[in-house]
Amino acid sequence: MSEVARLPRRSEGNESVNLTTLDAILGAFPATMRALVGAKIDVEGHEFPVLKGARRLLREAPPCWLQLENSALNHVELMHKILREFGYESSGKILSAGKDDYMYVQHDPEACMKQRVAAA
């Protein structure tokens, strides 16, 4: 993925990983990202930086559904508020692998799916 803008490497314990944003991936692979139907975001408490780095994606080509593992449970309402601003409605809490995940669906999922089919 050399076309994708990379953020500085971060080291967490013994692992070092390259970071990027969903908006950078949208810029590098627009057709693929615009056809994205759904996404699961599991980032161990870093949901807000991920959403911040996905503003363009959520505005221009929002996936029809998002599943977020919310490790920062004290910020659930803020996460709901941010995603509502991008046309998502919460479908509520779901249990996934023993953890609390939240499912969000675009306000008009049928229209969203039609757009994805047309983009493919």
Side-chain angles (χ1 to χ4, degrees), residues 7 10 19-25 33 39-58 63 66-69 79 82-83 86:
L7 299 173
R10 268 192 152 157
L19 301 177
T20 191
T21 65
L22 291 170
D23 287 347
I25 297 170
M33 294 301 281
K40 177 171 180 174
I41 299 173
D42 183 351
V43 290
E44 303 306 322
H46 299 281
E47 292 81 11
F48 295 109
V50 168
L51 293 175
K52 184 177 178 184
R55 282 183 274 182
R56 180 175 164 221
L57 174 71
L58 295 173
L66 294 173
Q67 181 178 342
L68 279 89
E69 177 187 315
M79 194 166 65
I82 291 167
L83 289 168
F86 290 103

Side-chain angles (χ1 to χ4, degrees), residues 31-39 57-66 86-89 104-120:
T32 300
M33 294 301 281
R34 290 182 188 285
L36 189 65
V37 172
L57 174 71
L58 295 173
R59 186 177 55 253
E60 295 178 15
C64 299
W65 61 266
L66 294 173
F86 290 103
Y88 287 93
E89 295 176 1
Y104 298 90
V105 180
Q106 274 291 306
H107 178 68
D108 187 348
E110 187 175 335
C112 185
M113 290 299 291
K114 286 179 182 177
Q115 289 174 339
R116 295 308 172 271
V117 170

